[in-house]
Amino acid sequence: MPAALVTGASRGIGRAVAEQFAADGYDVAVNYRSSDSAAREVVDTIERETDQSALAVQADVADPDAVEACVDDAVDAFGSLDHVVNNAGINQHRYTPELSPEDFQRLLNINVVGTFAVTKAALPHLEDSSVSEGPSVINLSSRLAYSGADYEPHYATSKVGIIGLTKSHALEFGPTIRVNAIAPGFIETDMTDATTSEEAKERKRQDVIPVGRLGKPEDIGQAAAYLRDASFVTGETLNVNGGQRMQ
Ligand code: NAP
């Protein structure tokens, strides 16, 4: 069976990606940082509703040794690693006067260096992959990489970094491994629930998002499945935002 590792898959977008990949016939390693029971529930759901195997693998992506162990556990369990989805990430609403360099650095360590570390640890296994679509890495950027965000400058910076890392790795790892990114718009998850009022959500539905609804984690699961299978696409960032950003 082909296998994938999805980081930050205990909830939100990562969970939807893990469930989409399992529905499509991939065994899935469900990485998480602290939500043991939520990650176990994702594993149980996959094993109950599909014919695939799943494994919960704890690791803080900002800890390179833990990342190595997490990748090794996934390969030991499934025998191969064919796709990696670097989804784990944090956000923090803070204007610059209240934002410390330490907070800025911590966020970059998780969102950018963590993505780099997971890809680096997975690289030898992806190189050994024999899936017909070819192995791939999919990184989570954001619409805010293009627009910037006055209330979260470190987050927007990290998501610009993801696009640069995606293109660099696409150049470096081709032709063997494709590397792409997804830039979601507003997706309803714990991350956005924590910072967005119901009024603000309604305004987005009515005035801001041309398709007239907020994004669902499953919208990103479908985008990740497309990039996983799109054997002529690499170095790209796929915008999935209901039309909120058009070029
Ligand atoms: P979420 O609901 O907050 O879930 C975050 C997930 O990442 C959880 O599974 C969490 O694990 C995990 N995680 C956080 N820090 C981690 C770390 N250091 N090591 C390993 N896992 C870690 O977030 P989300 O909204 O689904 O977002 C997922 C990704 O999409 C992020 O990269 C985010 O920046 C990006 N994104 C989201 C939106 C949006 O509108 N929601 C828009 C654009 C981009 P625990 O549960 O164990 O803490």
Side-chain angles (χ1 to χ4, degrees), residues 31-45:
N31 161 258
Y32 66 101
R33 179 186 45 184
S34 54
S35 303
D36 294 274
S37 60
R40 269 201 306 277
E41 203 216 307
V42 178
V43 167
D44 290 347
T45 302

Side-chain angles (χ1 to χ4, degrees), residues 93-175:
H93 276 211
R94 200 151 292 180
Y95 291 96
T96 294
E98 288 85 43
L99 177 59
S100 68
E102 290 75 20
D103 276 347
F104 202 119
Q105 187 70 62
R106 186 178 72 93
L107 187 142
L108 290 182
N109 272 345
I110 294 170
N111 290 9
V112 184
V113 185
T115 295
F116 169 80
V118 172
T119 299
K120 181 175 158 72
L123 191 55
H125 307 291
L126 295 172
E127 285 170 341
D128 285 346
S129 166
S130 56
V131 283
S132 57
E133 71 276 14
S136 80
V137 175
I138 300 168
N139 299 324
L140 265 290
S141 179
S142 168
R143 185 185 67 80
L144 300 181
Y146 302 100
S147 64
D150 52 1
Y151 47 88
E152 43 197 16
H154 49 343
Y155 180 77
T157 302
S158 77
K159 295 304 182 178
V160 175
I162 289 293
I163 294 175
L165 183 65
T166 297
K167 290 179 178 174
S168 304
H169 277 172
L171 290 168
E172 193 177 337
F173 304 159

Side-chain angles (χ1 to χ4, degrees), residues 8 10-11 13 33-35 60-61 87 141 155 159 185 187 189:
S10 55
R11 50 200 165 90
I13 291 171
R33 179 186 45 184
S34 54
S35 303
D60 183 335
V61 296
N87 166 81
S141 179
Y155 180 77
K159 295 304 182 178
I187 310 295
T189 66

